[in-house]
C-alpha cells in the first residue's frame, strides 16, 4: 500500500469553474443536427453512408462518370473539415464567456497554452463536451495554471461516457481540509497487536457497488489516468483522534474507535483532481450511510 503523500495541483476558486453535472444534448452544428435526425432509426449501412457523405468520403461510392476528381474531393473535404473546426472553436469561446467573471484580473493568460488548447478542442462538436471545454478555458484564463496541457490531452481522449463516470465518482469523493487531495474511501484497517493478531476485525471494506461504482469502472478511471488503481493508506490514528474531510461542500468527520486505526482509499491523480473541477458538488446521499455501516468497527462517521 502507498502512503498518502502525493499532492494534486492547487485548486482554483470552485465557483468560477464548477458546473452542472454532465448531461446529453444535441450536437451544436446545424448540419450535424440534421444528420443525427436523418440517421435516427436507419440501418447501420445507411448511417455509415450518411456519415461518409457528411465528411466527404463517399466519392468512390458514386458511379465513375459522376465522381468528382480525387484531388478536388481532397480539397473539398479539407475545406469542410476546417470550417467545422472553426465553428467548433468559435462555439467553445462563446460558451466560455459565460463562465468568465466580469471583474478585473491581473493574471496574464498564456498564448502558448491557448494555442495548444485550440488544437486539442477543434474537433469537439458535441454540445455537452463543448460546455466542459468552455469551462476549462474560462478556468485557465481566470486562474492561469489551473489546467495543465497533460490534463487537456487526457480530456481530449475522453468520451461522454467517460465524463459521466467522472461526474459519478466525484459525487463519492472526499477532500482533505486543504482541498488539494481527492480520494474515494474504500475501507479501514487496524494494525493487529499481539492480542488481536488473529482477530477477524482488523479490516473493513466499503462496497462501492452499492453507490453504482464497479471495479470495472475503477479500471476505466485508472486507464484514463484519473485515479490510482492501487489503494493507498492514511496514517494510523489513535483512539478518539479525528480526521475531517470536505465532502461536496459538507464536513465529514471520522473518529477512530481504537488505537492504530487507518483508512484506505483510491486517490485521484493530479489530472483527475484538475478535471474534477469541471463537476459541481453533487453528493451521493447514500454514501454517508454506507460509510457508517461499513466502517463502524473502526470509525464512527458523522
Amino acid at each position: 500500500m502507498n502512503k498518502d503523500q502525493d499532492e494534486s495541483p492547487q485548486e482554483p476558486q470552485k465557483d468560477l469553474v464548477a458546473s452542472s453535472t454532465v448531461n446529453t444534448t444535441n450536437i451544436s452544428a446545424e448540419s450535424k443536427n440534421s444528420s443525427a435526425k436523418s440517421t435516427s432509426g436507419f440501418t447501420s449501412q445507411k448511417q455509415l453512408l450518411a456519415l461518409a457523405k457528411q465528411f466527404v468520403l463517399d466519392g468512390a461510392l458514386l458511379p465513375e462518370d459522376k465522381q468528382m476528381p480525387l484531388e478536388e474531393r481532397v480539397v473539398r473535404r479539407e475545406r469542410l473539415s476546417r470550417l467545422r473546426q472553426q465553428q467548433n472553436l468559435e462555439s467553445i469561446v462563446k460558451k466560455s464567456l459565460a463562465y468568465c467573471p466580469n471583474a478585473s484580473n491581473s493574471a496574464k493568460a498564456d498564448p502558448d497554452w491557448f494555442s495548444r488548447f485550440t488544437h486539442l478542442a477543434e474537433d469537439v462538436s458535441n454540445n455537452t463536451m463543448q460546455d466542459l471545454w468552455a469551462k476549462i478555458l474560462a478556468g485557465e484564463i481566470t486562474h492561469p495554471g489551473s489546467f495543465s496541457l497533460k490534463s487537456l490531452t487526457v480530456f481530449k481522449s475522453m468520451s461522454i461516457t467517460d465524463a459521466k463516470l467522472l461526474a459519478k465518482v466525484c459525487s463519492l469523493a472526499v477532500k482533505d481540509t486543504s482541498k488539494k487531495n481527492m480520494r474515494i474511501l474504500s475501507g479501514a484497517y487496524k494494525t493487529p497487536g499481539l492480542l488481536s493478531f488473529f482477530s477477524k476485525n482488523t479490516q473493513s471494506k466499503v462496497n462501492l457497488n452499492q453507490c453504482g461504482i464497479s471495479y470495472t469502472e475503477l479500471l476505466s478511471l485508472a486507464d484514463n489516468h484519473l485515479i490510482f488503481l492501487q489503494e493507498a493508506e492514511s496514517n494510523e490514528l489513535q483512539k478518539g483522534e479525528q480526521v475531517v474531510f470536505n465532502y461536496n461542500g459538507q464536513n465529514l468527520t471520522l473518529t477512530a474507535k481504537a488505537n492504530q486505526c487507518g483508512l484506505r482509499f483510491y486517490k485521484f491523480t493530479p489530472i483527475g483532481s484538475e478535471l474534477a473541477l469541471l463537476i459541481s458538488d453533487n453528493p451521493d446521499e447514500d454514501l454517508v450511510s454506507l460509510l457508517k455501516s461499513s466502517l463502524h468497527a473502526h470509525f464512527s462517521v458523522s
Side-chain angles (χ1 to χ4, degrees):
M1 300 292 180
N2 294 331
K3 294 294 181 180
D4 181 17
Q5 294 176 342
D6 299 332
E7 291 189 355
S8 46
Q10 185 174 1
E11 182 185 51
Q13 294 180 10
K14 187 75 177 249
D15 59 340
L16 299 178
V17 292
S19 71
S20 59
T21 51
V22 182
N23 50 63
T24 54
T25 55
N26 295 328
I27 307 297
S28 60
E30 291 184 4
S31 61
K32 286 187 172 59
N33 226 340
S34 60
S35 175
K37 291 179 181 179
S38 65
T39 59
S40 178
F42 281 6
T43 64
S44 297
Q45 188 179 68
K46 288 184 178 180
Q47 292 189 49
L48 175 57
L49 292 173
L51 285 171
K53 183 176 181 180
Q54 180 182 334
F55 286 85
V56 197
L57 293 171
D58 61 334
L61 303 178
L62 300 173
E64 289 190 10
D65 60 334
K66 294 184 179 181
Q67 290 182 12
M68 185 186 301
L70 181 61
E71 289 186 5
E72 291 185 23
R73 301 204 300 266
V74 171
V75 171
R76 183 166 179 258
R77 185 170 72 88
E78 180 64 22
R79 182 177 66 85
L80 289 178
S81 176
R82 297 304 297 164
L83 287 172
R84 188 181 300 110
Q85 290 171 340
Q86 182 71 18
Q87 184 182 45
N88 291 339
L89 290 173
E90 289 181 359
S91 177
I92 290 171
V93 170
K94 182 178 180 180
K95 290 173 183 290
S96 70
L97 288 176
Y99 301 112
C100 289
N102 188 19
S104 59
N105 184 5
S106 60
K108 185 177 181 181
D110 183 0
D112 292 336
W113 183 96
F114 183 77
S115 175
R116 183 61 177 159
F117 174 91
T118 60
H119 285 297
L120 292 170
E122 62 187 2
D123 292 318
V124 179
S125 59
N126 180 274
N127 189 58
T128 298
M129 297 304 287
Q130 282 188 356
D131 280 341
L132 295 178
W133 280 95
K135 286 157 189 160
I136 288 176
L137 178 57
E140 180 66 23
I141 295 299
T142 305
H143 298 282
S146 297
F147 296 95
S148 65
L149 293 176
K150 185 179 293 185
S151 293
L152 297 190
T153 302
V154 169
F155 190 61
K156 179 180 173 62
S157 67
M158 291 174 59
S159 64
I160 293 180
T161 300
D162 295 326
K164 286 182 176 180
L165 178 56
L166 175 62
K168 183 164 66 171
V169 80
C170 283
S171 71
L172 305 175
V174 299
K175 300 177 183 178
D176 59 19
T177 52
S178 69
K179 297 185 179 182
K180 292 181 179 180
N181 297 305
M182 294 186 65
R183 64 205 77 188
I184 308 165
L185 294 173
S186 60
Y189 69 93
K190 181 183 185 303
T191 302
L194 291 176
L195 298 179
S196 60
F197 188 80
F198 296 102
S199 173
K200 295 181 180 180
N201 296 323
T202 59
Q203 297 187 40
S204 54
K205 189 76 174 176
V206 177
N207 186 1
L208 296 173
N209 266 307
Q210 294 186 28
C211 291
I213 298 294
S214 67
Y215 188 72
T216 300
E217 289 174 316
L218 292 176
L219 287 174
S220 179
L221 291 164
D223 286 341
N224 281 319
H225 309 287
L226 301 177
I227 67 169
F228 295 108
L229 190 58
Q230 185 179 11
E231 289 178 295
E233 292 182 350
S234 71
N235 294 325
E236 294 178 357
L237 302 176
Q238 301 306 308
K239 184 176 180 179
E241 280 193 84
Q242 295 182 334
V243 56
V244 180
F245 294 113
N246 180 294
Y247 175 55
N248 287 282
Q250 305 172 5
N251 284 337
L252 183 68
T253 303
L254 282 76
T255 305
K257 290 185 174 181
N259 293 330
Q260 297 179 301
C261 287
L263 295 167
R264 289 196 174 99
F265 44 82
Y266 295 104
K267 292 184 62 178
F268 278 57
T269 65
I271 291 174
S273 295
E274 286 185 11
L275 296 181
L277 298 176
L278 303 174
I279 310 300
S280 67
D281 289 341
N282 185 33
D284 187 316
E285 295 180 358
D286 296 328
L287 178 64
V288 176
S289 296
L290 177 61
L291 292 177
K292 287 181 178 180
S293 62
S294 301
L295 306 179
H296 72 277
H298 304 103
F299 288 90
S300 61
V301 180
S302 60

